[in-house]
Amino acid sequence: MHGMSSDYGIKISRTGVDVRTAADTDLVLSSEFVTPMIAKVIRFTTPGSTAHGMGYPPAFIGVKADGAGGWESCTRGYFSGGVPAVYIDATNVTYRAGETGDAYVFILVDPLNE
Amino acid sequence: MAVDFGIKASRAGNDVLTAATRLLTVTSGVNMYKVAMSAYGTVSIASGASWTTDITHNLGYKPIVRFYVEHPEISQWVLAPALAGIATGGTWDMTCVAVNVDTNTVRLGVYTAPFSPSPRTFKYKYYIMIEPRKDAWYE
């Protein structure tokens, strides 16, 4: 909490940093900034669509097995053809047909359509 | 006995004194994403045309950015960078990207292949994080 200004909230700094003077980049969290929250994690072992249950299109982050023992983002950029492995709508999250390996989709609380 | 200061909270049902990091909801020892700014918007784009917009964040460094766009034909949201459309159930492609122009500006872009009817309304949402693209702290 701030001592001088009439500002209210909570903030936590990283270990070893004075929370009263910490730069925003040295904070763990602050009521001044939204912290993305994970509503659920959906695992795919094969391509397909499944209901995410959020009632709106939620923000998401996906990762998938890369077939070489590692993991890659479900966004590919141009160097891998660019086609996203995961996409979402208000009802379902889809792991694209033709993909191989497991995928995990982190469904975030925040809606995309507002 | 080591002296350590900070705060941590564990998930329900887990002893905070012994819980593994993955079973914590927050700890001063682990960084968390913080959203510096975000916005939802819509834009009308004509067939084959492109759209870009610059977002001024004034952070003084290049931050992590997440940019989501809905392909209007198939009503599916993708996370940039992405080439979405034909390979995801539609009949025409769009490409969406987000780039750091400089340490204070992010540029969002949507590029489209020809489509009909035209124009179409694209929905998008972006998140600009406090965390820098490079050298964000972690413990």
Side-chain angles (χ1 to χ4, degrees):
Chain A
M1 291 184 281
H2 298 261
M4 300 296 290
S5 64
S6 57
D7 190 11
Y8 301 92
I10 183 171
K11 58 181 178 178
I12 302 172
S13 60
R14 59 187 288 200
T15 303
V17 177
D18 188 331
V19 68
R20 295 166 296 181
T21 57
D24 292 338
T25 49
D26 283 330
L27 296 177
V28 172
L29 68 82
S30 165
S31 45
E32 183 178 356
F33 305 113
V34 170
T35 300
M37 293 181 286
I38 300 172
K40 59 186 69 175
V41 182
I42 295 176
R43 179 187 182 189
F44 290 92
T45 55
T46 57
S49 290
T50 190
H52 51 68
M54 300 300 287
Y56 54 81
F60 66 94
I61 299 173
V63 293
K64 68 176 294 291
D66 67 1
W71 294 83
E72 63 180 9
S73 169
C74 285
T75 66
R76 265 76 167 270
Y78 302 105
F79 52 88
S80 296
V83 177
V86 172
Y87 43 95
I88 208 163
D89 60 27
T91 304
N92 295 313
V93 54
T94 300
Y95 181 36
R96 196 178 67 91
E99 299 289 339
T100 58
D102 287 6
Y104 289 87
V105 184
F106 298 86
I107 304 294
L108 306 181
V109 170
D110 202 54
L112 292 176
N113 59 349
E114 62 181 68
Chain B
M1 191 172 174
V3 178
D4 192 13
F5 300 93
I7 185 171
K8 57 182 179 178
S10 60
R11 292 173 56 179
N14 290 274
D15 186 337
V16 69
L17 298 173
T18 58
T21 301
R22 63 181 178 83
L23 295 175
L24 301 176
T25 59
V26 64
T27 167
S28 43
V30 176
N31 202 355
M32 297 170 70
Y33 279 130
K34 295 167 285 294
V35 179
M37 56 191 299
S38 69
Y40 164 78
T42 62
V43 59
S44 178
I45 303 176
S47 170
S50 61
W51 166 81
T52 62
T53 190
D54 285 0
I55 309 298
T56 300
H57 53 74
N58 289 327
L59 290 172
Y61 53 84
K62 296 179 179 180
I64 292 173
V65 179
R66 292 209 316 268
F67 177 44
Y68 298 86
V69 181
E70 185 197 50
H71 190 296
E73 180 191 24
I74 54 177
S75 299
Q76 297 294 321
W77 289 82
V78 296
L79 172 60
L83 169 66
I86 295 174
T88 48
T91 62
W92 55 271
D93 283 333
M94 73 167 193
T95 298
C96 50
V97 296
V99 296
N100 280 286
V101 176
D102 56 36
T103 57
N104 293 306
T105 310
V106 167
R107 178 166 297 156
L108 310 177
V110 177
Y111 304 83
T112 72
F115 57 80
S116 178
S118 172
R120 297 295 294 264
T121 297
F122 291 72
K123 303 173 186 175
Y124 65 92
K125 188 160 186 178
Y126 68 85
Y127 301 83
I128 296 175
M129 302 301 179
I130 288 290
E131 284 61 49
R133 187 182 65 181
K134 180 180 178 182
D135 296 333
W137 72 269
Y138 63 95
E139 304 286 308

